[in-house]
Amino acid sequence: MSALFTPLTLRGVTLPNRVALAPMCQYSAGPDGLPTDWHRVHLGSRAVGGAGLIITEATAVVPEGRISPQDTGLWSDAHVDAWRPITAFIAAQGSVPAVQLAHAGFKASTYRPWAEHRGGVPDADGGWTPVSPGAEPFLPDYRTPTALDEAGVAEVVEAFATAARRALAAGFAAVEIHAAHGYLLHEFLSPLTNHRTDGYGGDRAGRMRLTLEVARAVRAAVGEAVPVLTRISATDWVDGGWTVEDSVVLAGELAAAGVDLVDTSSGGAAARASVPIGPGYQVPLAARIRREAGVPTGAVGLIVEPEQAEQIVAAGEADLVLLGRELLRDPYWPHRAAAKLTQTPAWPNQYTRAF
């Protein structure tokens, strides 16, 4: 029996296997943040390919929370209607549709990667003023943010909760809170980017406050049966930054707030971090958080071979394996992995003639 292809139950939802599509921005929404046919085909093909959990790209809870003007959102009923056919198709393939709810903070209003320009998008090109814990831009060519006051922080919490309720109406069966990669919640967590002196800054407890308030609000919004995941950057990879020791504490607090799995990534708060990139380089972070905090984790980062993914789950280093670039290269990786590990891939009937 393959560990990778055993079901995983999180609250009232059972994933058919331990393979998930990691959230990856497609920068292909319209200016109003509505998903398009690109998203239906992109996400749908990974469901046809056999991933047990399909997580959307970072989906903004408010317009100013988008990374680029081409990011998806979930801040209106029009977004609910646009997401419904996508989630219905994913579910029809036997996969579980999930949405990553996000706010880009001081990394908002930037050009998408293949644009002619780089850095912050000016108002004339559809950009806006970002918000952040403070008033310093992430990079010199990014937009200068406005520091959130406590009323603004409260609005962020409510925006996540409202988007979570809309996610259920749109057909999503699980939600993930994005608190990683130098975006707003991570900006509050990291001492590199949070220099506040009020109740949302200072010591670790103050810096964790916003993320935990969001987690509690999202849990209350979706009820007890819906899984809530949180993606964190387990370390900033910079001296004086957020550490894996901090993440162990945060993971325990997230679990107490109603989070069911910690999706363990890293980095993003510092432009020049020394990251030891290599196959499975973030797996030890997921393993340590799982072991020391006693919470389920997801592992992500240069996981490419079926045997590698199998070992991660079988050895108890993580409960879920999230694939990003590998699933961009091969939407059918889960079926190919099942053939190698179990000899019983479940190709859709429409494709069985190929075998």
Side-chain angles (χ1 to χ4, degrees), residues 312-339:
I312 290 167
V313 178
E317 295 179 293
D319 301 88
L320 186 69
V321 172
L322 297 103
L323 303 182
R325 290 170 175 83
E326 188 62 19
L327 276 176
L328 291 183
R329 290 186 285 265
D330 181 4
Y332 306 107
W333 188 97
H335 287 320
R336 298 186 193 281

Side-chain angles (χ1 to χ4, degrees), residues 11 46 57 73 100 103 167 177 195 197 220 245 305 316 326:
R11 295 201 183 234
R46 275 73 195 170
E57 64 192 78
Q100 186 187 64
H103 192 304
I177 299 164
H195 306 122
T197 57
E245 290 80 12
E305 298 297 337
E326 188 62 19

Side-chain angles (χ1 to χ4, degrees), residues 5 10 18 43 62 65 88 157 162 207 223 239 241 247 261 313 340:
F5 287 93
L10 299 171
R18 309 297 183 99
L43 298 170
V62 289
V157 175
T162 301
R207 287 181 281 110
D239 289 342
S247 291
L261 183 142
V313 178
K340 183 174 283 190

